[in-house]
């Protein structure tokens, strides 16, 4: 257990286990870029050749920057790039890795939005715009977080996955691209990406001219998580809260019948449990514990009538939990992509510690609901409380030009950042979940937030009229891309009622959001053959998001 917050912290750079001095000047002198990874090669193969003009030449002239590909998107030029980074910014001579990023170009003197998603970019990135980019009509630089996808050093020294190392990655990218983009810079991200933007601002406050952090949790003191329990005791109405608790109880009471179904489906889909959670029973319990969190994160009060009653059949309860929390997520294969997140959460970021009082006597694994439970043994680590305390202290007292946007009904907003009084702001979207944004704010707040953002970026002209074929908006939440394994998803009578939740984005665990008829995701649905299951198809539903250029993954029985 941890003591209460220190009254004041040494305001210096924090790494996983110690205080780290600023990056030495030697860190800025790097060797020539290494060979681009296989993922980047796939992107290059599917894109147009790079146009040999002044912009492309200037990009290629940036030390350490490689132009992998270029495409055109609604009047914008879109580049896939890699940038040579030190594995350890304190010891830059001890190896480098290639960090992937993309560039959406509008004009060299336009504002530039640095989008840090906190996870990986799509395997084949395509152009989209975050809300700040759209409001500013700016350029956008999107950065893949170190240790995700191909932006992982080889061999991987997991001790180098910490908030200061990633912030320094971003710092070097900003320094490099400021030689081309002279306008104001704004950083943004949602959920873990919002956290990432805060950490960059804390360590390098002069890199950007403002930060818009969406739904960014702030687990200042990890064990003191009563705010989450208070949230679940008051969100929605009593009837919905009771129904959600009852479905968890019923699932755990029936585990002797439901776990064999999970085991059978996992075997059918070549999914295992041994490397992470260990057994199907532990995976089942983790998914049940996650269900209420996933419900409020991406669903809401309108979905309360769909919660099965205590009298529901085993199949109805299993399928509903699968549709909300996704049993396939807590398998070795489902967790693989998110292991860097869980490593960060275990070591620095923290996690929600819920009491689950209503499930006493029904759970079997004490302390299961924490990140070390899902990490392979070699990645488990002790928690260091100092980085989050330092960041929280700095944000409250010394930060400036920071904007935080939260959703009223999002559990991740139960522990929020508290902005300083230095031209910093906090907004809450009424009734919104983890997809809260500026557009969801009441009119007065929406206008004030937009005006502040445009003032920071020194944008005075009104945005131009919408293009005939506008770029898709990016909600900045993680998505999974198609894999060669097709997990079973619950399918209701409505074929577009897509399942797949999981816990949170900072636990970044949501398999895929719910899609309803008439939404853009439903209307843009695309069915593809399932590689290992001829009786099923993959549904790629068009949407937005950093991982998969806004494509959500679910699978359905073939018609």
């Amino acid at each position: 257990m941890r003591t209460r917050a220190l009254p004041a912290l040494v305001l210096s750079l924090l790494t996983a286990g110690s205080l780290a001095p600023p990056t030495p000047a030697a860190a800025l002198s790097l060797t020539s870029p290494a060979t681009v990874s296989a993922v980047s090669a796939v992107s290059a193969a599917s894109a147009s050749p790079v146009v040999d003009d002044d912009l492309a030449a200037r990009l290629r002239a940036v030390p350490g920057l490689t132009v992998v590909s270029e495409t055109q998107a609604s009047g914008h030029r879109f580049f896939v790039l890699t940038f040579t980074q030190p594995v350890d910014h304190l010891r830059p001579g001890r190896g480098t890795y290639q960090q992937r990023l993309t560039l959406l170009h509008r004009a060299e003197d336009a504002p530039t939005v640095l989008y840090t998603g906190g996870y990986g970019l799509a395997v084949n990135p395509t152009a989209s715009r975050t809300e700040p980019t759209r409001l500013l009509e700016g350029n956008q630089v999107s950065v893949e977080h170190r240790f995700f996808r191909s932006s992982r050093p080889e061999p991987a020294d997991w001790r180098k996955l910490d908030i200061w190392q990633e912030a320094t990655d971003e710092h070097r990218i900003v320094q490099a691209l400021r030689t081309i983009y002279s306008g104001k810079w704004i950083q943004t991200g949602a959920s873990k990406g919002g956290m990432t933007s805060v950490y960059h601002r804390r360590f390098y406050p002069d890199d950007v001219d403002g930060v818009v952090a969406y739904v960014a949790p702030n687990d200042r003191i990890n064990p003191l998580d009563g705010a989450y329990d208070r949230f679940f005791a008051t969100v929605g109405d009593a009837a919905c809260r009771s129904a959600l608790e009852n479905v968890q109880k019923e699932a755990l009471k029936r585990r002797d019948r439901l776990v064999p179904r999970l085991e059978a489906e996992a075997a059918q889909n070549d999914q295992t449990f041994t490397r992470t959670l260990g057994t199907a029973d532990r995976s089942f319990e983790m998914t049940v514990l996650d269900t209420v969190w996933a419900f409020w994160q991406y669903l809401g009060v309108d979905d309360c009538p769909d919660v099965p009653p205590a009298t529901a059949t085993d199949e109805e309860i299993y399928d509903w939990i699968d549709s909300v929390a996704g049993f396939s997520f807590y398998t070795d294969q489902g967790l693989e992509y998110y292991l860097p997140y869980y490593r960060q959460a275990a070591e620095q970021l923290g996690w929600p510690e819920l009491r689950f009082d209503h499930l006493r006597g029904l759970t079997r694994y004490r302390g299961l609901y924490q990140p070390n439970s899902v990490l392979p043994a070699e990645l488990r680590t002790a928690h260091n409380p100092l980085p989050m305390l330092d960041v929280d202290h700095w944000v409250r007292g010394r930060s400036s030009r920071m904007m935080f946007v939260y959703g009223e009904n999002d559990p991740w907003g139960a522990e929020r950042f508290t902005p300083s009084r230095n031209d910093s702001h906090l907004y809450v979207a009424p009734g919104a979940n983890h997809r809260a944004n500026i557009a969801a704010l009441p009119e007065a707040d929406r206008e004030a937030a937009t005006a502040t953002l445009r003032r920071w970026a020194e944008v005075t002209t009104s945005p131009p009229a919408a293009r005939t074929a506008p770029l898709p908006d990016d909600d900045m939440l993680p998505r999974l891309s198609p894999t060669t394994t097709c997990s079973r998803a619950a399918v209701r009578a409505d074929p577009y009622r897509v399942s797949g939740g999981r816990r949170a984005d900072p636990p970044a665990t949501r398999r895929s959001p719910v899609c309803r008829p008439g939404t853009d995701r439903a209307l843009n649905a695309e069915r593809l053959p399932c590689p290992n299951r001829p009786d099923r198809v993959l549904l790629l539903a068009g949407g937005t998001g950093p991982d998969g250029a806004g494509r959500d993954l679910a699978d359905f029985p073939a018609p």
Side-chain angles (χ1 to χ4, degrees):
M1 299 295 289
R2 201 183 317 154
T3 57
R4 294 181 63 84
L6 301 175
L9 295 173
V10 179
L11 294 174
S12 57
L13 303 180
L14 290 167
T15 59
S18 62
L19 297 175
T23 308
L28 302 181
S29 176
L30 300 176
T31 60
S32 59
T35 302
V36 179
S37 66
V39 170
S40 298
V42 173
S43 300
S46 61
S48 303
V50 177
V51 177
D52 190 13
D53 63 2
D54 182 61
L55 175 59
R58 293 181 69 187
L59 289 171
R60 286 196 296 269
V62 173
L65 190 68
T66 298
V67 179
V68 177
S69 66
E70 178 187 356
T71 55
Q72 292 287 333
S74 299
H76 293 73
R77 297 175 68 177
F78 181 72
F79 296 88
V80 176
L81 311 168
T82 62
F83 191 59
T84 305
Q85 297 278 20
V87 174
D88 183 355
H89 289 281
L90 292 175
R91 300 170 182 82
R94 297 187 179 181
T96 61
Y97 79 99
Q98 295 299 307
Q99 185 167 33
R100 287 201 305 156
L101 60 151
T102 64
L103 168 64
L104 181 68
H105 172 83
R106 191 178 77 83
E108 293 179 15
D109 58 352
T112 297
V113 173
L114 176 66
Y115 165 41
T116 47
Y119 297 97
L121 296 175
V123 172
N124 294 297
T126 58
S128 62
R129 297 190 300 180
T130 63
E131 186 176 55
T133 306
R134 178 176 54 79
L135 292 173
L136 299 175
E137 279 294 318
N139 310 295
Q140 181 172 301
V141 176
S142 304
V143 180
E144 181 166 85
H145 198 289
R146 62 165 45 207
F147 280 73
F148 282 87
R149 295 210 189 280
S150 62
S151 297
R152 181 179 298 180
E154 184 60 43
D157 181 353
W158 291 86
R159 296 171 299 176
K160 308 309 176 190
L161 174 58
D162 64 56
I163 62 174
W164 179 78
Q165 295 282 0
E166 172 62 24
T168 308
D169 286 343
E170 296 158 19
H171 169 66
R172 296 189 64 254
I173 289 170
V174 172
Q175 285 190 319
L177 292 180
R178 271 192 181 276
T179 61
I180 299 175
Y181 294 99
S182 58
K184 295 294 183 179
W185 282 62
I186 301 293
Q187 187 163 0
T188 194
S191 199
K192 183 175 182 287
M195 299 160 75
T196 304
S197 70
V198 173
Y199 306 149
H200 180 194
R201 182 71 162 169
R202 185 266 172 272
F203 294 128
Y204 298 97
D206 297 327
D207 271 4
V208 298
D209 301 286
V211 169
V212 182
Y214 296 85
V215 296
N218 177 33
D219 201 342
R220 186 169 65 101
I221 303 177
N222 200 62
L224 300 184
D225 281 352
Y228 294 112
D229 289 305
R230 291 191 293 274
F231 170 86
F232 287 114
T234 56
V235 65
D237 59 34
C240 189
R241 294 194 299 271
S242 178
L244 289 167
E245 290 184 354
N246 286 338
V247 79
Q248 286 180 300
K249 293 177 184 178
E250 286 300 317
L252 293 176
K253 289 176 182 178
R254 306 181 193 192
R255 74 162 80 212
D256 289 345
R257 301 194 297 273
L258 298 183
V259 170
R261 176 174 171 181
L262 172 59
E263 291 174 323
E265 292 181 353
Q268 187 180 31
N269 292 308
D270 298 322
Q271 294 168 334
T272 56
F273 307 95
T274 53
R275 184 167 181 252
T276 53
L277 278 154
T279 67
D281 195 62
R282 287 170 61 88
S283 173
F284 176 84
E285 185 166 308
M286 179 70 92
T287 305
V288 173
L289 294 179
D290 233 6
T291 300
V292 176
W293 189 294
F295 179 90
W296 290 112
Q297 182 181 341
Y298 282 117
L299 302 179
V301 293
D302 291 343
D303 300 280
C304 290
D306 295 333
V307 180
T311 56
T313 65
D314 291 355
E315 182 177 9
E316 289 169 337
I317 288 177
Y318 186 99
D319 286 348
W320 184 84
I321 291 176
D322 195 26
S323 74
V324 173
F327 282 112
S328 65
F329 178 78
Y330 285 112
T331 62
D332 296 340
Q333 291 72 27
L335 289 165
E336 181 66 31
Y337 172 81
Y338 291 103
L339 293 182
Y341 160 73
Y342 283 110
R343 167 73 185 210
Q344 286 188 278
E347 187 167 17
Q348 290 188 320
L349 307 184
W351 62 92
E353 292 194 7
L354 306 183
R355 294 174 59 88
F356 297 112
D357 287 342
H358 62 291
L359 300 179
R360 287 182 179 175
L362 296 173
T363 58
R364 293 178 177 174
Y365 308 103
R366 184 176 181 180
L368 180 67
Y369 202 71
Q370 53 104 358
N372 273 324
S373 294
V374 302
L375 285 171
E378 67 273 15
L379 295 185
R380 294 169 194 161
T381 184
H383 184 67
N384 175 13
L386 293 181
M388 294 304 99
L389 287 168
D390 171 76
V391 170
D392 176 80
H393 182 82
W394 183 85
V395 169
R396 289 171 183 263
R398 299 184 60 184
S399 66
S400 63
R401 298 189 306 279
M402 299 193 73
M403 183 185 301
F404 298 92
V405 180
Y406 291 96
E408 179 187 20
N409 290 345
D410 177 18
W412 287 110
E415 288 197 336
R416 303 168 182 167
F417 281 100
T418 300
S420 74
R421 298 181 180 180
N422 303 324
D423 194 10
S424 296
H425 313 270
L426 186 150
Y427 297 100
V428 179
N433 58 22
H434 204 52
R435 291 193 175 87
N437 58 14
I438 292 173
L441 298 174
E443 182 177 4
D445 285 349
R446 182 172 64 251
E447 292 178 353
T450 302
T452 296
L453 173 61
R454 291 168 64 81
R455 173 170 56 82
W456 289 345
E458 295 185 354
V459 172
T460 57
T461 58
S462 299
R467 297 179 178 84
T468 304
L471 290 169
D473 290 334
D474 191 333
D475 65 9
M476 298 182 280
L477 297 176
R479 303 286 185 266
L480 290 177
S481 296
T483 65
T484 57
T485 298
C486 299
S487 62
R488 187 183 190 282
V491 182
R492 305 186 182 187
D494 167 13
Y496 288 128
R497 181 80 173 186
V498 182
S499 69
R502 292 145 327 64
R503 179 168 19 159
D505 157 35
T509 45
R510 182 137 178 109
R511 183 71 175 178
S512 66
V514 169
C515 302
R516 293 183 174 81
T519 66
D520 61 339
R521 291 182 175 89
L523 293 176
N524 294 336
E526 175 186 359
R527 289 173 179 264
L528 299 174
C530 189
N532 66 333
R533 289 293 306 279
D535 60 324
R536 296 182 183 277
V537 293
L538 294 175
L539 181 81
L540 294 178
T544 58
D547 186 13
R551 292 180 180 269
D552 303 327
L553 172 63
D555 64 322
F556 290 81

